[in-house]
Amino acid sequence: MSILVFIDHADGHFKKTTYEALSYGAALAKQTGTQAEAVLLGTVSEDAASLGKYGIQKVHQVNQEALNAFDPQTYIRIIAGIAQAIQATVIVFSHNSSGKAIAPGLSARLKAGLVTGAIALPDTSQGFLVKKNVFSGKAFAIVSIKTPVRIISLNPNAYPVVAGEGSAEVVQEALAPEAAKVKLKSVVRASGEIPLTEAEIVVSGGRGMKGPENWGPIEELAKLLHAATACSRPVADAGWRPHGEHVGQTGVAIAPNLYIAVGISGAIQHLAGVNRSKVIVVINKDPEAPFFKAADYGIAGDAFEVLPKLIGAVKKLRGLA
Amino acid sequence: MKILVCISKTPDTTAKIAFTDNNRKFAADGVQWIINPYDEWYALVRAIELKEKDPSAVIHLITVGTADADPIIRKALALGGDEALRVNADGQDSFFIASQIAAVAKDGGYDLIFTGKETIDYNGSSVGGMIAALLDLPYISLAAKFDLAGNSATIVREVEGGEETEEVSLPLVVSCQKGMAEQRIPNMKGIMGARTKPLKVLDPQPVEALTEIVSFELPPTKKGVKMIPAENAEELIRLLHEEAKLM
C-alpha cells in the first residue's frame, strides 16, 4: 500500500508543480498511514534522491533518454505497471499538460476513479472525497471516488510546497522497450519566461491598453515581480498578444497568488478563468467596471499613469531605484 | 476518412451558477444550454474544415445524454456534420461517458475522434484520454493546431510555457483547444438542412461510473474592494507588500 506521485519534468529539470504534487502525496500518505513513492520517467540533470525532502521514500526511475519524448501511451503502460507492483492506492498527478495527457488513460486502464483539478487533500474519514473546481472556477464539487485505486490530478498553485529534510531511495526499473506511436518532432519553449499556469504572480492587460505597442509597462512590471503576462480574450482575438496568454473561461484558467488586471472590464467569462486567484488587483479607467466587484484592491485611473508609478514603487521596494 | 466529434451540452458561459436539492444538483431552471465551446469552436469546426478540403470525409457527432440534448445536437448539425448519434443516458461521470463513446466508436471505423479540451461545466479534461485508452489509440491532448497529410497528422499541442509538435499516424484521439479553428455561426442553409439529417438514438452499455458528485459549493464571496486613489498608486505596492504579504 502506498501513494504514487508522478514526477513531471522538462529540459532536465523538475517542474514546480512536481514539488506541489510530491508535498500533496506525502501529506496524503501521512493522513492515511502509508508511504509516498514517486515515478520518474526519462533522464534529468537534477538529483532524484533529493526529492526525499518533500516527504517521499522511494523514486522509481526508468532512466531512458527515449522517454524524454513524451508519449502518453508508453507512460500509461509503465505507470500502470509500477502502480500495480507497489500496490498503489492513490496515484497523484499535476493537472497540467502532462497530467491531462496521462491520468485519464491510466484511469480507464486501471478502472481507477479519477478526479482532475483537485484543490485540497481528500477527506478520507468516510470514503474518499475530493474537492475540485467546476463551472470554470465558479463553484466547487465534492466528488466521491468509489474504486479501491484512485487517481487525483492536483491543480497548480492549489497546494503549498512543503520541504523538509531527507533523501529518497532511487530504484532503477528495467523496462522492455516498445516503439512509441507518437513522434515528438520539436519543442519550442519560451526561455526564461514563467509558464502562465505555474506563475505565482500574473500581470494581465485588456482592451484598455489600446494597442499591442503599449505593452511595455505590463512586461516591465511583470519582469520586476517575476510574474507571467496574460491578456483578455479580445486582446488575443485581435492578435495583440499570443493566444496562449488568453486567460478566461475559454482560454487558460489560472490561480496565482496575485492577479493584476490592467484595462480589463471583467466580463463573467474572464472572471471564470481568474477568480481562483488569491488576491486580485484591478486597474481600470472606468470606476464602474464590473471587475472591481471581484477585486481585493482597485485603482480607478489611467493605466498609462498608474503603471509607471507601480513600476517605480516596486523598484524602490527592491532597492533598484 | 471518418471523423467522430464528441459533443457535450453545457450551461451558457453567462449562466448563473446555483444549486438545489441540498446543493446536490445544478439549478438548471431558466438556464440557456449551449454546445460546450471547446467542442463547437475547435473540435467540430476543425472537422468541418477537414471535410471542406476532402469532401469524401464523413463527420459523425456523438453525445451522451437524454432527449433534452437534442436541440444542441441539431445546432451542431446545423454547423456541419452528416449524422448524429445520441447515447440515451445521463452522463454519470467521465468514465461512463467515455465508455459509451468508445463502445460506439469501436466498430465505427473512425480515423479521427475529436473532443474539446474540457467541458466548461465539470472541467474534467478526461473523456478524450479515456476513449483513447479504451480503444488503445494514441491520444494527443490540448491540440492548438492540426494538419493532415495522407494518413499522418502533425499536431501542435500547448504545454506549460511553450508548445510541442508531434507527428502521429491515424487513427487517433485529439482534444482540441483555441487555435485549432475559427469560430463559425450556422447559416440558414445549415439550419434547414440539420432538420433532416439523421439523429440516431442508441441504448447505453451497462457501465458502472467510477466517481460520483456528492455535493457542490459556491466560493466564498469577496470582502469588498479596497480602492486606492490613482494619484497615490504607489500605495498599492506597500499594501501588497505589508498587508497581503505578496512581494
Side-chain angles (χ1 to χ4, degrees):
Chain A
M1 292 253 294
S2 57
I3 312 288
L4 183 65
V5 182
F6 174 71
I7 297 174
D8 198 10
H9 58 93
D11 301 328
H13 297 286
F14 302 126
K15 289 189 190 170
K16 183 195 150 211
T17 45
T18 292
Y19 304 127
E20 295 170 356
L22 292 169
S23 304
Y24 182 92
L28 181 56
K30 205 170 161 195
Q31 180 180 316
T32 52
T34 164
Q35 67 168 8
E37 304 183 27
V39 53
L40 168 58
L41 306 183
T43 60
V44 286
S45 51
E46 293 188 67
D47 176 21
S50 73
L51 296 176
K53 70 174 183 239
Y54 302 102
I56 52 156
Q57 258 97 61
K58 236 184 229 180
V59 176
H60 301 267
Q61 183 176 18
V62 183
N63 201 3
Q64 289 181 7
E65 228 166 280
L67 291 174
N68 295 347
F70 179 68
D71 173 55
Q73 275 182 308
T74 308
Y75 273 49
I76 290 167
R77 181 170 57 88
I78 301 171
I79 297 166
I82 292 172
Q84 280 164 337
I86 67 164
Q87 293 183 290
T89 49
V90 185
I91 309 167
V92 179
F93 291 90
S94 300
H95 193 47
N96 63 4
S97 62
S98 308
K100 287 173 189 175
I102 315 168
L106 188 67
S107 164
R109 183 179 174 127
L110 297 176
K111 303 282 177 284
L114 166 68
V115 174
T116 59
I119 53 163
L121 281 169
D123 175 354
T124 50
S125 59
Q126 252 186 331
F128 196 95
L129 302 176
V130 190
K131 189 171 183 175
K132 71 158 287 181
N133 283 294
V134 288
F135 295 100
S136 307
K138 291 177 208 157
F140 306 110
I142 310 292
V143 186
S144 162
I145 306 185
K146 301 190 285 188
T147 50
V149 179
R150 289 119 177 172
I151 306 177
I152 298 172
S153 72
L154 176 66
N155 250 357
N157 280 335
Y159 194 80
V161 175
V162 185
E165 300 288 317
S167 177
E169 179 193 349
V170 181
V171 186
Q172 295 299 334
E173 304 281 347
L175 178 80
E178 206 172 285
K181 286 192 199 160
V182 178
K183 259 193 220 100
L184 181 64
K185 306 236 313 189
S186 64
V187 181
V188 183
R189 233 178 282 279
S191 62
E193 276 182 35
I194 301 157
L196 189 49
T197 49
E198 292 177 20
E200 287 174 19
I201 302 179
V202 173
V203 185
S204 187
R207 255 185 306 198
M209 293 306 293
K210 296 198 169 77
E213 67 281 4
N214 296 328
W215 242 258
I218 289 204
E219 285 175 341
E220 188 180 358
L221 182 62
K223 202 167 173 199
L224 279 167
L225 296 173
H226 307 291
T229 50
C231 69
S232 65
R233 180 166 171 218
V235 164
D237 284 354
W240 293 1
R241 300 294 292 176
H243 72 73
E245 280 198 4
H246 161 202
V247 291
Q249 187 144 25
T250 52
V252 183
I254 56 171
N257 293 335
L258 173 60
Y259 181 69
I260 303 178
V262 189
I264 300 176
S265 61
I268 190 165
Q269 293 90 341
H270 185 77
L271 291 180
V274 303
N275 62 7
R276 287 183 294 116
S277 309
K278 290 182 189 86
V279 173
I280 294 178
V281 171
V282 170
I283 299 163
N284 203 298
K285 217 161 66 177
D286 174 11
E288 301 297 316
F291 212 161
F292 283 118
K293 289 201 180 75
D296 298 278
Y297 299 99
I299 300 179
D302 186 340
F304 301 105
E305 286 165 25
V306 171
L307 283 173
K309 288 187 181 177
L310 298 183
I311 289 165
V314 177
K315 279 186 177 164
K316 214 162 149 189
L317 184 70
R318 298 251 198 269
L320 298 169
Chain B
M1 182 171 58
K2 254 179 113 175
I3 308 172
L4 182 65
V5 181
C6 305
I7 298 288
S8 185
K9 161 181 153 253
T10 59
D12 182 58
T13 53
T14 57
K16 182 177 162 29
I17 304 302
F19 304 100
T20 60
D21 197 9
N22 247 338
N23 282 329
R24 273 179 301 199
K25 262 201 186 125
F26 174 65
D29 274 359
V31 167
Q32 280 274 6
W33 296 90
I34 57 168
I35 309 170
N36 178 44
Y38 294 108
D39 302 346
E40 177 184 344
W41 303 350
Y42 309 122
L44 176 56
V45 175
R46 188 70 191 115
I48 294 167
E49 288 173 355
L50 291 171
K51 188 181 161 91
E52 283 164 354
K53 265 189 158 177
D54 171 9
S56 71
V58 174
I59 301 174
H60 287 178
L61 313 181
I62 187 166
T63 196
V64 177
T66 44
D68 55 6
D70 286 348
I72 295 304
I73 277 278
R74 289 282 175 211
K75 195 188 161 206
L77 284 170
L79 278 162
D82 299 291
E83 73 170 66
L85 309 161
R86 177 167 64 77
V87 180
N88 191 23
D90 260 324
Q92 298 171 27
D93 77 342
S94 303
F95 180 74
F96 178 88
I97 294 167
S99 300
Q100 301 303 336
I101 295 172
V104 173
K106 197 166 173 274
D107 303 310
Y110 295 103
D111 303 284
L112 276 170
I113 301 176
F114 279 172
T115 71
K117 77 158 181 172
E118 63 185 65
T119 57
I120 62 166
D121 48 8
Y122 297 110
N123 305 111
S125 219
S126 308
V127 168
M130 288 178 174
I131 296 170
L134 292 167
L135 298 174
D136 198 22
L137 293 177
Y139 174 53
I140 305 289
S141 56
L142 311 176
K145 271 184 202 145
F146 179 95
D147 288 301
L148 203 56
N151 196 37
S152 172
T154 302
I155 302 168
V156 176
R157 73 185 286 263
E158 299 227 327
V159 297
E160 290 71 38
E163 51 184 45
E164 293 174 357
T165 305
E166 328 241 18
E167 200 177 81
V168 53
S169 296
L170 307 187
L172 78 154
V173 182
V174 182
S175 89
C176 309
Q177 66 162 337
K178 197 165 186 167
M180 281 287 272
E182 289 297 326
Q183 194 179 344
R184 291 185 183 189
I185 303 166
N187 55 29
M188 199 35 89
K189 186 168 164 251
I191 294 166
M192 299 307 284
R195 291 186 190 169
T196 51
K197 285 179 184 172
L199 195 170
K200 290 183 190 153
V201 179
L202 309 171
D203 285 329
Q205 301 288 316
V207 174
E208 192 111 4
L210 309 178
T211 63
E212 181 186 12
I213 294 182
V214 178
S215 63
F216 293 98
E217 284 173 22
L218 289 170
T221 44
K222 287 264 180 192
K223 278 183 302 215
V225 58
K226 188 180 260 186
M227 294 302 291
I228 297 144
E231 55 280 6
N232 198 14
E234 293 89 348
E235 172 70 359
L236 171 70
I237 301 300
R238 189 192 67 80
L239 287 169
L240 290 176
H241 179 59
E242 290 173 15
E243 191 176 271
K245 310 223 176 290
L246 282 168
M247 303 245 153

